[in-house]
Amino acid sequence: AQSVTQPDIHITVSEGASLELRCNYSYGATPYLFWYVQSPGQGLQLLLKYFSGDTLVQGIKGFEAEFKRSQSSFNLRKPSVHWSDAAEYFCAVGAGYNDMRFGAGTRLTVKP
Amino acid sequence: NAGVTQTPKFQVLKTGQSMTLQCAQDMNHEYMSWYRQDPGMGLRLIHYSVGAGITDQGEVPNGYNVSRSTTEDFPLRLLSAAPSQTSVYFCASSSLWDTYGYTFGSGTRLTVV
């Protein structure tokens, strides 16, 4: 069965430091891959998505993610974190409307 | 602003009561869905629809009903609320041409006592 794992429940980084959030998945084939961000009290906002082609995907707010087929991973990165990036981040994978699986989320705290 | 609107934002129900969570979108999206979000479990799909008159079950449909009479609206009905349905509920929509890039509402926080 397909599954999504975000190994880090909570990450704290200093403002200006680099960030990497991990996402691993288990799926029968290469699924569609997504990262969403959720600010407190808000719904989820799509950061980026991967369907095929270039394995390095650029998203909004300066985020990027790299798909690594051999590692079944789709890690999210940002070179320099801003205080406004503090939020919860969700990785999602799927191949159909009733087939989307979300990870449990990683909460990001940004230290001044 | 265009988007997905959910009402109410907060609700407290007693066990056994029924209620309807409202979801409306003004983007002419064909696909709409309901998710519930529980701590440590991510989002789980309850029901979804790919157009007016078409609905189907997701991963956790028990205790919930949906209907889709118009493109814009996709209400979620709790038939007889149970404490296990305490959760945050999100409605999401997308165009069938945007391959699963969802627009989410801001959520309804439901507590069943």
Side-chain angles (χ1 to χ4, degrees):
Chain A
Q2 55 268 34
S3 65
V4 185
T5 302
Q6 293 181 246
D8 304 304
I9 296 173
H10 183 208
I11 283 181
T12 300
V13 300
S14 298
E15 190 168 17
S18 64
L19 171 70
E20 182 169 26
L21 302 181
R22 296 182 292 165
C23 174
N24 297 99
Y25 66 90
S26 173
Y27 205 81
T30 300
Y32 300 146
L33 301 158
F34 307 83
W35 275 100
Y36 287 85
V37 60
Q38 183 182 30
S39 298
Q42 300 298 314
L44 280 70
Q45 180 184 18
L46 181 67
L47 282 175
L48 47 78
K49 57 188 177 184
Y50 173 80
F51 297 149
S52 64
D54 192 346
T55 57
L56 187 61
V57 181
Q58 302 297 320
I60 63 172
K61 304 186 180 189
F63 285 91
E64 65 179 27
E66 185 172 14
F67 167 60
K68 292 186 176 180
R69 185 190 306 273
S70 61
Q71 298 177 19
S72 296
S73 69
F74 189 57
N75 293 349
L76 182 72
R77 301 194 294 246
K78 187 169 185 179
S80 177
V81 170
H82 188 263
W83 63 266
S84 60
D85 293 323
E88 188 146 21
Y89 292 80
F90 292 91
C91 180
V93 304
Y97 294 107
N98 66 338
D99 187 42
M100 193 66 62
R101 291 289 189 267
F102 286 81
T106 297
R107 184 162 62 92
L108 173 66
T109 297
V110 180
K111 292 191 303 184
Chain B
N1 289 338
V4 178
T5 302
Q6 290 184 237
T7 56
K9 292 190 180 301
F10 302 94
Q11 183 71 48
V12 179
L13 286 180
K14 294 183 178 179
T15 298
Q17 287 185 318
S18 63
M19 80 161 294
T20 299
L21 280 62
Q22 301 291 344
C23 175
Q25 53 91 10
D26 58 3
M27 297 169 286
N28 204 32
H29 283 170
E30 300 89 348
Y31 175 78
M32 296 185 74
S33 58
W34 278 100
Y35 284 87
R36 60 178 289 172
Q37 182 181 33
D38 301 294
M41 300 187 72
L43 280 75
R44 291 181 292 169
L45 181 64
I46 304 171
H47 285 285
Y48 68 97
S49 168
V50 296
I54 306 170
T55 63
D56 207 344
Q57 296 180 350
E59 182 184 0
V60 289
N62 292 341
Y64 307 96
N65 274 356
V66 293
S67 60
R68 183 99 179 265
S69 57
T70 67
T71 300
E72 294 78 20
D73 300 298
F74 191 46
L76 177 72
R77 283 181 287 277
L78 279 69
L79 307 174
S80 177
S84 61
Q85 294 179 303
T86 294
S87 187
V88 181
Y89 292 84
F90 287 100
C91 181
S93 74
S94 77
S95 167
L96 291 181
W97 302 105
D98 191 22
T99 326
Y100 319 134
Y102 296 166
T103 299
F104 281 84
S106 58
T108 295
R109 183 175 293 276
L110 175 68
T111 302
V112 182
V113 298

